[in-house]
Amino acid sequence: MSSKRVAHNVPGADFPEWYPSSSVVTAGPYAFTASMSAVDFATGVAPAASVSPGLPRTTGHPVKLQVRETYRRLSAALGAVGSSLEAGVSINQWQPTFRGDAVRDDSAQNAYVEHWEAWRDVAHAYIQGRNEFLIDDRPASCLLPVDRLVAKDSLIEIQLVSLLDDSGISKRAYAHDVHNPLGGYSVGMEAGPLLFSAGFIPTDFESGLHPNARVPQHIWYGNQVAAETAETLRQIRITMESAGADWADVVKVVLYLTPEGMRNLPAVEEVWQQNWPDSPPARAIVPVSGIGGVKGGNVEIFVIVARRDAGGDREVITAPDALPAIGHQVQAIRSGEFLFLSTQLGRSADGPLPAAVAAQDGLPFTRRALVDQVRAIHEDVAKICAAAGTSIENTVKADLYLTDFGDLATLFEVWPEPFTDGLPAAGFFEVPPGSLEVPGCTVAADIIVHCPQG
């Protein structure tokens, strides 16, 4: 095992030059894959993953065909760097809300009314396809709908964190009755110095929302999103602590919120402060179209925890020359060989970038607003990395969320600028309009960076 960060482009699982991602990046004991799909990047979904246009009902299940091709590519990428699907410890899966030529309806008041059955159909078929490849001790898992994936006919994208074969580390799955998911994945996975949880949702897996997460609709008391957040964190904490982890050692939280959840972010912040009065973890807030697994839910959360009994540690990183963190979070946490950053937005200390706002208002067709935001993200990430003794060039994983895929081509041009020694493993997703933490921002990034040791 080498502590050096290496970006790999693997034949059969690689991307064209214009697509700014490596197939997989290795660093420390882990391999981080890009968000992969069954797309050939020439015409769309690859022929091997497509039903026959003339015989669409008898030439294979469209979801399962794409799932099989995607796992084939993931297996090729991991195998080429000395890892495997079986060594997976954390998996994210994404499905689109708007497919094909469907027009995004920004006026829809309740996505669950419009899209729940379609989401469920894809998730059900995906799980059946996944089970052909991931048999035992499945990774801790999140499966979420966003507005769109890069290819209009993609039905699923998948990204994995796996242990390297020469890491000397054995993964260990664990379970707890407080959260007993029906999807057949691990609620948490110990992997050397880090513990990865699944995406927890506020449900009892029997009646929908957990009773603790239900706010009576006939009285003026209680906040639905706050109740869901509190119950989700309660379940995560019980499960993590039963595995020997310490709540104070959480290094990173990814908080997925629906548009309704984002509107109630001030109430979420109050719950956050109650859970971490001091030294909160780094936090990425990711807007999503809905929450998988519980109809009507607004919150899904997964955490990464330092395991002190396995050599894990936790250091808050503060870069005085970078923008201060917004909300109850820190700029970043370093744990061992990795730096976990909070959400990165192209913003100022007081809100959206004035230059980006002016460009959006006066020169919207130039996409200058997007360029300014991405370069501001690069600048701030570089400062935080420097404070941690590393470099933005050591980024291993980056997920980028756009509120309008009309900006995607521009993002593809500007995102690679700081990376001269191989691109991070990346994913690109369209999320609901106007849904980022800072109104007026149109792109957000969730980033993990390698910190070379010695």
Side-chain angles (χ1 to χ4, degrees), residues 329-348:
Q329 59 197 27
V330 296
Q331 290 173 328
I333 299 279
R334 186 204 55 78
S335 183
E337 293 186 62
F338 296 97
L339 181 68
F340 300 94
L341 282 76
S342 290
T343 312
Q344 293 300 303
L345 296 157
R347 61 179 178 91
S348 69

Side-chain angles (χ1 to χ4, degrees), residues 301-313:
I301 301 172
F302 90 83
V303 303
I304 303 173
V305 189
R307 299 178 62 223
R308 292 191 182 271
D309 62 349
D313 60 355

Side-chain angles (χ1 to χ4, degrees), residues 22 69 82 96 122 129 142 186 248 267 371 376:
S22 295
E69 175 63 15
V122 170
C142 296
S186 302
V371 172

Side-chain angles (χ1 to χ4, degrees), residues 63 115 153 202 216 382 393:
V63 176
H115 305 294
D153 293 318
E393 290 222 46

Side-chain angles (χ1 to χ4, degrees), residues 80-163:
V81 300
S83 185
S84 65
L85 295 175
E86 293 75 18
V89 295
S90 181
I91 187 169
N92 274 23
Q93 301 111 144
W94 308 91
Q95 63 161 300
T97 298
F98 301 97
R99 312 171 196 166
D101 295 320
V103 176
R104 186 164 65 159
D105 181 6
D106 300 343
S107 66
Q109 294 300 305
N110 190 338
Y112 288 100
V113 172
E114 299 292 330
H115 305 294
W116 176 258
E117 292 302 326
W119 291 339
R120 181 163 63 177
D121 287 348
V122 170
H124 175 70
Y126 166 74
I127 289 168
Q128 291 182 323
R130 175 208 66 187
N131 291 351
E132 298 174 15
F133 296 87
L134 302 178
I135 311 300
D136 299 313
D137 290 338
R138 296 187 185 104
S141 172
C142 296
L143 171 57
L144 289 146
V146 289
D147 274 12
R148 293 189 193 276
L149 302 177
V150 170
K152 70 175 186 176
D153 293 318
S154 280
L155 298 173
I156 200 76
E157 286 195 17
I158 308 167
Q159 50 195 168
L160 263 171
V161 180
S162 289
L163 285 165

Side-chain angles (χ1 to χ4, degrees), residues 61-423:
H61 194 292
V63 176
K64 293 179 185 178
L65 288 172
Q66 291 194 29
V67 170
R68 291 170 186 140
E69 175 63 15
T70 304
Y71 270 107
R72 183 199 66 74
R73 296 180 185 192
L74 287 165
S75 181
L78 291 168
V81 300
S83 185
S84 65
L85 295 175
E86 293 75 18
V89 295
S90 181
I91 187 169
N92 274 23
Q93 301 111 144
W94 308 91
Q95 63 161 300
T97 298
F98 301 97
R99 312 171 196 166
D101 295 320
V103 176
R104 186 164 65 159
D105 181 6
D106 300 343
S107 66
Q109 294 300 305
N110 190 338
Y112 288 100
V113 172
E114 299 292 330
H115 305 294
W116 176 258
E117 292 302 326
W119 291 339
R120 181 163 63 177
D121 287 348
V122 170
H124 175 70
Y126 166 74
I127 289 168
Q128 291 182 323
R130 175 208 66 187
N131 291 351
E132 298 174 15
F133 296 87
L134 302 178
I135 311 300
D136 299 313
D137 290 338
R138 296 187 185 104
S141 172
C142 296
L143 171 57
L144 289 146
V146 289
D147 274 12
R148 293 189 193 276
L149 302 177
V150 170
K152 70 175 186 176
D153 293 318
S154 280
L155 298 173
I156 200 76
E157 286 195 17
I158 308 167
Q159 50 195 168
L160 263 171
V161 180
S162 289
L163 285 165
L164 293 169
D165 295 341
D166 65 356
S167 66
I169 297 171
S170 297
K171 70 178 189 177
R172 187 178 79 86
Y174 58 90
H176 195 287
D177 289 344
V178 75
H179 194 84
N180 193 19
L182 305 177
Y185 54 84
S186 302
V187 298
M189 189 69 71
E190 294 177 359
L194 297 174
L195 182 155
F196 298 84
S197 87
F200 277 58
I201 52 179
T203 182
D204 57 9
F205 292 102
E206 293 180 356
S207 61
L209 285 173
H210 193 283
N212 293 346
R214 299 175 190 170
V215 172
Q217 299 301 304
H218 58 282
I219 58 175
W220 285 0
Y221 181 78
N223 180 281
Q224 180 63 48
V225 178
E228 292 180 35
T229 304
E231 173 58 20
T232 304
L233 290 174
R234 182 189 76 86
Q235 292 187 21
I236 296 174
R237 183 168 187 170
I238 290 171
T239 307
M240 297 300 101
E241 290 181 343
S242 73
D246 192 319
W247 196 238
D249 288 333
V250 176
V251 296
K252 177 67 177 279
V253 180
V254 180
L255 170 61
Y256 300 104
L257 291 174
T258 65
E260 179 65 15
M262 293 299 298
R263 284 190 285 271
N264 284 274
L265 191 53
V268 172
E269 286 286 69
E270 293 176 354
V271 176
W272 225 255
Q273 292 171 16
Q274 293 163 8
N275 274 267
W276 288 285
D278 304 300
S279 190
R283 178 180 64 180
I285 299 180
V286 178
V288 290
S289 310
I291 298 299
V294 58
K295 189 173 184 178
N298 295 290
V299 177
E300 182 164 338
I301 301 172
F302 90 83
V303 303
I304 303 173
V305 189
R307 299 178 62 223
R308 292 191 182 271
D309 62 349
D313 60 355
R314 183 185 192 274
E315 178 188 3
V316 175
I317 299 298
T318 302
D321 57 340
L323 289 170
I326 53 177
H328 193 60
Q329 59 197 27
V330 296
Q331 290 173 328
I333 299 279
R334 186 204 55 78
S335 183
E337 293 186 62
F338 296 97
L339 181 68
F340 300 94
L341 282 76
S342 290
T343 312
Q344 293 300 303
L345 296 157
R347 61 179 178 91
S348 69
D350 303 314
L353 283 174
V357 172
Q360 185 61 37
D361 289 343
L363 299 165
F365 307 120
T366 67
R367 305 293 181 184
R368 284 299 312 175
L370 191 281
V371 172
D372 290 341
Q373 290 178 71
V374 174
R375 287 179 176 159
I377 289 172
H378 289 158
E379 181 179 345
D380 224 46
V381 171
K383 292 174 180 177
I384 295 169
C385 287
T390 186
S391 162
I392 189 174
E393 290 222 46
N394 286 320
T395 299
V396 294
K397 182 176 185 292
D399 289 328
L400 289 102
Y401 304 96
L402 283 168
T403 59
D404 181 359
F405 258 7
D407 285 331
L408 187 61
T410 303
L411 178 65
F412 280 2
E413 291 176 4
V414 70
W415 171 248
E417 288 179 351
F419 305 110
T420 62
D421 190 22
L423 292 161

